[in-house]
Amino acid sequence: MTTTHLGELSVSPIGFGCMALSHVYGGTTDDSARATLGAAVNAGITFLDTADVYGEPREGATGPAGTNEEMLAPFLAGRREEVQLATKFGITAIRTGTDGSTKRTNGRPDYAHQACEASLNRLGVETIDLYYLHRPDPDVPIEETVGAMAELVAAGKVRHIGLSEVTAEELRRAHSTHPITALQSEWSLWSRDVEDHVVPTCAELGIGFVPYSPLGRGFLTGTLTKEQVAGDFRSGTERMGQAWDANQQILDIIAEVARRHDATNAQVALAWLLHRGAQMGVTAVPIPGSRKPERALENLGALDLTLDAEDMGQLDSIRSLVEGTRNIVDNPTWISSGRE
């Protein structure tokens, strides 16, 4: 397995999104989750992405659940030196302000320190390779949050800093405070708004890009049914709810390209991202997640898949066919495109 670089951080060219190993897409056990991770790392997928908010909250818990990080701890205890570990902070349990309003983010400097300590303890590690601000706090200048994250780097608790779902302008301000190694946002065949401003800014500043949900939360694989997603949050989104049938035409295009290359839809979608990142001058390291080891290993086939101009043109046409936004909540500012 070759490696690639997000700034100065060397990582596998495809990572693993650990959110899939929690309850969000259906039940799994911690032992099964760690077995999937073991198979992935054995195959060379060494860039692991989690967050303090991932996982099912324990009864009576306040703040981020932390249970996905706790699940990872026994695995990391034996294989810490083999992996590059990323986690995030900033999304909290809904909290009520003094004025009675509610919010789901916290970017205060003192909270950044507190959240990092909590993650280090849950993960059972001394240092986090890549520490992201999961969402910017609208009440805290991003320079203040990133300044606190820089203090964590100076203290040796964090090696590199990342941001998630920030605008190009927010990214510039943050990068002027402390070098940003990677930006994580949704980017895929059917989520391309970041190409308008954010990706070009990453290319200009030399910042890597980590696409989350690169397979459209499973939709782009063509393996899901309406019934499978009926029990989770995906069915409540526009794209995978009321527009489910209309968006099937997207799958027809991906499947046609996949047949030409004797590949799977997932491999085509990931190969497109790798090619598109190169076209736009950024290193893109997608982080698909899976509860099944065989799916994680299948994803690696994207690295050997070469898409030609005809393939890319056909796949690019998907952008104009998508019905429904990529936002999973009612608040448009929850994602970067809602603030640009």
Side-chain angles (χ1 to χ4, degrees):
M1 173 68 69
T2 58
T3 60
T4 190
H5 286 84
L6 297 169
E8 296 181 355
L9 178 61
S10 178
V11 298
S12 56
I14 291 179
F16 192 101
C18 294
M19 186 180 77
L21 298 176
S22 291
H23 71 297
V24 65
Y25 295 140
T28 186
T29 66
D30 285 355
D31 286 343
S32 176
R34 288 189 286 266
T36 296
L37 282 175
V41 173
N42 289 343
I45 302 174
T46 59
F47 181 41
L48 307 184
D49 180 276
T50 184
D52 62 2
V53 76
Y54 294 165
E56 190 166 14
R58 302 191 189 283
E59 186 175 353
T62 59
T67 49
N68 192 275
E69 290 181 328
E70 291 173 355
M71 176 277 294
L72 281 170
F75 179 82
L76 294 171
R79 309 195 68 166
R80 178 66 184 97
E81 298 306 313
E82 300 177 60
V83 303
Q84 302 84 48
L85 177 63
T87 192
K88 316 177 197 71
F89 81 101
I91 297 179
T92 66
I94 295 178
R95 56 193 176 91
T96 303
T98 55
D99 60 355
S101 62
T102 58
K103 63 184 298 187
R104 297 178 60 196
T105 55
N106 191 340
R108 296 194 307 265
D110 60 334
Y111 182 74
H113 285 269
Q114 173 190 332
C116 183
E117 288 294 339
S119 286
L120 289 169
N121 289 333
R122 284 189 295 262
L123 291 162
V125 301
E126 295 182 354
T127 308
I128 296 164
D129 295 310
L130 179 57
Y131 197 44
Y132 291 99
L133 173 63
H134 208 161
R135 289 291 191 283
D137 185 335
D139 298 327
V140 179
I142 200 162
E143 293 89 344
E144 292 185 16
T145 308
V146 171
M149 296 170 75
E151 293 171 354
L152 295 170
V153 173
K157 297 177 180 180
V158 169
R159 292 192 174 97
H160 303 276
I161 292 176
L163 303 172
S164 180
E165 288 292 358
V166 297
T167 66
E169 186 266 340
E170 290 164 344
L171 178 58
R172 289 183 186 280
R173 288 165 48 201
H175 193 63
S176 68
T177 303
H178 185 278
I180 302 300
T181 293
L183 187 148
Q184 182 175 144
S185 284
E186 186 172 355
W187 189 15
S188 69
L189 278 167
W190 74 348
S191 296
R192 299 184 58 181
D193 53 274
V194 291
E195 294 183 19
D196 296 337
H197 304 288
V198 178
V199 176
T201 302
C202 286
E204 175 191 338
L205 299 177
I207 296 169
F209 201 105
V210 178
Y212 74 78
S213 296
L215 301 178
R217 297 184 172 84
F219 184 88
L220 301 178
T221 68
T223 62
L224 294 179
T225 65
K226 277 185 179 180
E227 292 70 29
Q228 284 175 296
V229 303
D232 62 53
F233 77 94
R234 291 175 290 185
S235 63
T237 65
E238 289 182 81
R239 289 184 176 180
M240 300 179 74
Q242 59 265 43
W244 177 277
D245 293 333
N247 284 326
Q248 294 302 306
Q249 62 184 327
I250 294 169
L251 298 182
D252 294 338
I253 294 172
I254 300 172
E256 183 178 339
V257 175
R259 283 192 295 271
R260 284 205 299 267
H261 291 275
D262 192 24
T264 66
N265 278 26
Q267 290 168 341
V268 167
L270 293 172
W272 176 87
L273 256 179
L274 297 173
H275 283 65
R276 187 62 181 143
Q279 285 181 340
M280 298 196 70
V282 298
T283 298
V285 181
I287 49 169
S290 176
R291 288 173 291 162
K292 298 179 180 179
E294 56 268 28
R295 291 295 188 195
L297 302 187
E298 172 192 311
N299 292 336
L300 289 175
L303 300 174
D304 299 319
L305 182 56
T306 300
L307 301 177
D308 60 24
E310 179 184 356
D311 297 325
M312 292 298 288
Q314 194 169 352
L315 293 168
D316 284 344
S317 71
I318 288 173
R319 184 174 190 175
S320 64
L321 301 176
V322 182
E323 293 199 16
T325 74
R326 71 177 179 89
N327 207 350
I328 62 173
V329 299
D330 292 334
N331 179 4
T333 66
W334 189 243
I335 57 176
S336 60
S337 60
R339 299 191 305 280
E340 287 190 320

